[in-house]
Amino acid sequence: MASSSEYVLSRGAACLSCRKKKQRCDAEKPTCGPCIKSGKDCIYKEPPRSKHQELLDKIDYLQKRIRDLDDTRLRPETSSSSRSSGGSSRERDTPSPSQPSPSATSSERPYNHRRTSSRGEPVPGANMVWNYDPIAIANLQIQPSDLTPRLREDLIGIFMQNREKCYFDLHVGRFIASLSLPPADPQAPHPTLVDAILLVGCYFSRAPSLAGYESGLLAAANNNLSTSFHHTDRLHDFIRASNLIAFYYFCKGMYPEAYQQIITSCHMIVTCGLHQIPSSAWTPMGASDDSDKFLSYPADAVEQGERIHTFWQAFCLDKMISMVTSRPAHLLGGPNTDPLLQISTPWPRLLADYETGTVSDLDKKSVTHLFLNQMSTLPGRLETLDSLRSQGYALVYKAVNLLSERPTPQEILVTDSAIQTFTSRLPHLKNSGDCGEIPATPGLSPINYRIVTIHTLAHVASLVLHQHGADVSARRRCTTAAQGIAAVIGQLSDADYQELFIGLGHLWYTAGQILLTIAANANGSIAEQNRNWALMIISAMKRISMVYLPLGFQLRQLQQML
């Protein structure tokens, strides 16, 4: 006789028919014994889905939606009249489908000794020692296994002082305090974020002895990224780490890996809803608030601000990597974008604004407003440089995207108007402060390297939009934009190159091509002038290529055009 223990089932394992009749079920599948005898349909209740499986399902759904939109965009149009009448439903900024992956495949100052960051925040951790000798670090003979607590602190310090170069921001004090928590604590940074910060810190150090750590830190960051994904654990840190890994790949010239990694960031951002944060102002979660199941409601205004900054970091990296690889971007926005993917997250303010509560519920301007010329700020408020940089990338990508289509004159006019309005609002290159709000003192004020990026983006957007124009006005606008980039470069000092985002070299390359083409087809002073502008760009690209070797290929192309 069979033991009664054979019939003990786990809770909820019986089929629905046996449970309804309150009779013993052997839970055989597809049909249990009692249902076979009675001839009833045997139906089992689906087991509860894990949070990880729900996350995968949502990503699959979004991928299918993107794939459908891409098919619509590539489908031939029935008539040109429908476009001119505004009847086209084509998606302007649709990405190509890609599988999400938790991990990807396949001379600057070593350190800034300031005790405060450029935003006035204290250097992380009062008990951390920052006044070490970078030359001594460069001469150390160390192995990857020798990452001591002191060296970890130094690498974090290097990263914090250089974080704006990778468009990253966070509340420094909170982050340093959270490092003392156990790694498994929900309030601690996920290990993947810590590893990614150490990795990029190694890169920014420019110390040959620290380069040996990079491969190990990259592997650790990717492994922990996978762990975070599969356990749906601290997904905001997952996105931030993924952004930093994509930036690292880009700096190393590993463009396919950078592209794949930024896809991972973008898919997770859309899945968690960071592209549609409704307002800059944080309010406590009410009983009726429907917080995202994958990313908990932000605990306070600072966390809200950090998420907004994380989104715009990914947005800028997505656009830069897309332009360099000539592949579609994935964070969309602007006219004719699918509502599911439309960007409504407000432009970023300073983290100090979120912390002090000086952001407003009226701070809701985003990508769509940029093309509607509705970018006026609140009275007494200046645009932050982070906001202007994000707007610049949005304009450049819009111009690039129009080149792959057959834009109507109205589309070109709207984009051109947005570029001109944006350019008119830019602060001078020598303005300082986080909003360019401190008036320049000629001859004394240093170049603000973040404003250099913003001005360059404005010129590139105009150049790209008009470079294939057939009329004289378009050609003149294109030439003026290329010369404008060279003029910006002409104001840089040797020290300024240490602070610039290395991706600027790719944008300069486009201007160099235009100027050399004009010089080759002109005579006299016009040819000489444009050749000199191009030589200025080539000289600047040489400087950046010393620390950013992948730029060497485009540099050689320009030199061959001379």
Side-chain angles (χ1 to χ4, degrees), residues 7-25:
Y7 297 98
V8 177
L9 302 178
S10 59
R11 184 178 179 84
C15 74
L16 296 180
S17 178
C18 291
R19 291 169 67 181
K20 184 176 180 180
K21 295 180 179 180
K22 297 183 179 181
Q23 65 183 15
R24 181 170 293 172
C25 179

Side-chain angles (χ1 to χ4, degrees), residues 20-141:
K20 184 176 180 180
K21 295 180 179 180
K22 297 183 179 181
Q23 65 183 15
R24 181 170 293 172
C25 179
D26 58 19
E28 290 291 332
K29 295 182 180 180
T31 307
C32 70
C35 287
I36 291 177
K37 293 178 180 179
S38 63
K40 300 286 186 180
D41 291 334
C42 189
I43 301 173
Y44 288 92
K45 183 179 180 180
E46 289 294 328
R49 300 173 66 75
S50 68
K51 207 170 185 180
H52 174 238
Q53 187 58 49
E54 290 180 0
L55 179 62
L56 290 174
D57 289 346
K58 187 166 184 179
I59 290 176
D60 288 343
Y61 169 74
L62 291 172
Q63 286 181 316
K64 183 178 183 301
R65 190 71 174 269
I66 290 173
R67 194 177 302 116
D68 292 342
L69 290 170
D70 198 49
D71 291 342
T72 302
R73 183 176 68 87
L74 296 175
R75 190 177 301 129
E77 299 192 34
T78 55
S79 68
S80 59
S81 61
S82 64
R83 287 177 54 81
S84 61
S85 64
S88 173
S89 61
R90 271 196 315 155
E91 177 58 59
R92 302 287 179 225
D93 301 320
T94 307
S96 61
S98 299
Q99 278 295 109
S101 171
S103 60
T105 58
S106 119
S107 149
E108 284 188 288
R109 292 178 299 174
Y111 184 67
N112 185 333
H113 291 279
R114 294 176 299 171
R115 285 278 178 179
T116 59
S117 72
S118 62
R119 299 192 175 190
E121 296 170 332
V123 171
N127 61 335
M128 301 175 76
V129 181
W130 304 108
N131 57 345
Y132 58 87
D133 183 358
I135 297 178
I137 276 198
N139 293 327
L140 288 176
Q141 298 298 319

Side-chain angles (χ1 to χ4, degrees), residues 18 310 320-321 370 416 429 462 472 477 507 550:
C18 291
T310 296
M320 172 58 77
I321 294 171
L370 186 62
D416 186 41
L429 285 176
S462 182
V472 175
R477 293 281 300 279
L507 303 179

Side-chain angles (χ1 to χ4, degrees), residues 188-228:
H190 195 281
T192 187
L193 177 58
V194 177
D195 290 335
I197 286 175
L198 294 172
L199 171 68
V200 179
C202 279
Y203 171 77
F204 281 140
S205 75
R206 303 296 184 202
S209 58
L210 296 181
Y213 287 114
E214 292 182 15
S215 60
L217 288 170
L218 178 60
N222 275 324
N223 287 336
N224 284 320
L225 202 67
S226 179
T227 301
S228 171

Side-chain angles (χ1 to χ4, degrees), residues 137-158:
I137 276 198
N139 293 327
L140 288 176
Q141 298 298 319
I142 49 182
Q143 299 298 321
S145 58
D146 298 330
L147 195 60
T148 63
R150 169 60 187 273
L151 189 52
R152 287 170 63 91
E153 293 173 359
D154 289 343
L155 289 176
I156 291 173
I158 292 172

Side-chain angles (χ1 to χ4, degrees), residues 258-403:
Y259 185 76
Q260 179 63 32
Q261 195 66 53
I262 203 63
I263 289 175
T264 298
S265 296
C266 294
H267 283 172
M268 189 61 72
I269 279 172
V270 175
T271 300
C272 293
L274 290 190
H275 66 310
Q276 294 180 345
I277 297 175
S279 171
S280 295
W282 175 84
T283 55
M285 183 175 65
S288 60
D289 288 330
D290 183 19
S291 60
D292 192 282
K293 65 178 66 174
F294 304 122
L295 200 60
S296 61
Y297 193 82
D300 56 21
V302 172
E303 190 171 321
Q304 175 106 335
E306 287 185 332
R307 292 184 183 188
I308 290 173
H309 274 268
T310 296
F311 168 78
W312 288 111
Q313 180 204 21
F315 179 89
C316 294
L317 292 176
D318 179 43
K319 299 301 174 284
M320 172 58 77
I321 294 171
S322 168
M323 289 185 286
V324 172
T325 59
S326 300
R327 301 184 68 181
H330 292 79
L331 292 175
L332 316 177
N336 305 309
T337 299
D338 182 85
L340 181 69
L341 305 174
Q342 179 66 269
I343 293 170
S344 57
T345 295
W347 303 113
R349 300 293 308 171
L350 304 179
L351 279 180
D353 291 342
Y354 300 102
E355 186 172 24
T356 59
T358 54
V359 293
S360 167
D361 193 48
L362 299 177
D363 286 316
K364 294 184 177 180
K365 300 293 177 63
S366 193
V367 176
T368 301
H369 301 90
L370 186 62
F371 296 97
L372 298 176
N373 286 330
Q374 297 177 355
M375 286 304 300
S376 58
T377 57
L378 299 176
R381 295 286 291 277
L382 294 171
E383 293 273 18
T384 68
L385 299 186
D386 291 338
S387 171
L388 290 173
R389 181 180 59 213
S390 301
Q391 294 171 36
Y393 273 109
L395 290 170
V396 171
Y397 186 72
K398 181 61 178 179
V400 169
N401 200 50
L402 285 176
L403 289 180

